[in-house]
């Protein structure tokens, strides 16, 4: 069975390999403006999940053109909404997985003892 999420370490590896990545923050704009996941090796866009549900297509044309040639990583605070958004995107033919644990997991300090 295909896995529908990326771990923090898997996302770091994708970015280090310079895999084409689109980070899609599916929280509302205010939360996005307060801080999100960015990388010099990835495009970052804010497309709130509620907007995806309201439209005929989940992504606008500009975001769609970036998404066609990239692995989409959906993110939210805890990962729940991101997983729903990734599932919706997959239904529309996109390569999309959610960041497991969301920004909460992303912002946790690395455990050097592992």
């Amino acid at each position: 069975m295909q896995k529908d999420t990326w771990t923090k370490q898997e996302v770091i590896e994708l970015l280090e390999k310079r895999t084409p990545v689109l980070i899609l923050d599916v929280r509302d704009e205010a939360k996005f403006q307060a801080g999100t996941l960015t990388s010099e090796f990835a495009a970052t866009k804010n497309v709130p999940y509620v907007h995806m549900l309201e439209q005929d297509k989940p992504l606008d044309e500009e975001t769609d053109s970036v998404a066609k040639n990239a692995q989409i990583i959906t993110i939210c605070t805890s990962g729940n909404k991101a997983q729903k958004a990734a599932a919706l995107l997959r239904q529309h033919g996109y390569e999309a997985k959610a960041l497991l644990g969301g920004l909460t997991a992303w912002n946790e300090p690395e455990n050097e003892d592992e």
Side-chain angles (χ1 to χ4, degrees):
M1 183 173 134
Q2 182 181 344
K3 198 169 64 114
D4 297 334
T5 57
W6 293 104
T7 64
K8 176 180 178 178
Q9 190 56 45
E10 288 170 329
V11 171
I12 290 169
E13 289 170 12
L14 276 178
L15 296 172
E16 286 175 348
K17 291 178 186 170
R18 294 184 174 46
T19 303
V21 168
L22 170 60
I23 298 168
L24 208 58
D25 191 322
V26 299
R27 300 172 302 157
D28 63 52
E29 189 174 349
K31 288 182 180 176
F32 174 75
Q33 295 296 335
T36 191
L37 170 56
T38 59
S39 169
E40 62 183 300
F41 306 121
T44 301
K45 298 262 185 190
N46 177 222
V47 180
Y49 178 59
V50 293
H51 293 175
M52 288 182 179
L53 292 173
E54 293 168 353
Q55 309 300 321
D56 291 336
K57 297 187 313 185
L59 302 178
D60 61 56
E61 297 217 4
E62 179 189 342
T63 307
D64 177 67
S65 66
V66 175
K68 282 189 166 117
N69 301 311
Q71 171 62 56
I72 301 170
I73 301 171
T74 56
I75 62 169
C76 65
T77 303
S78 66
N80 293 333
K81 196 178 290 181
Q83 288 188 39
K84 291 177 185 173
L88 178 68
L89 289 167
R90 286 192 301 274
Q91 289 173 358
H92 285 268
Y94 295 97
E95 293 257 341
K97 294 183 183 181
L99 173 61
L100 188 65
L103 289 170
T104 303
W106 184 264
N107 291 323
E108 285 179 359
E110 294 291 321
N111 186 345
E112 298 297 327
D113 297 334
E114 290 183 5

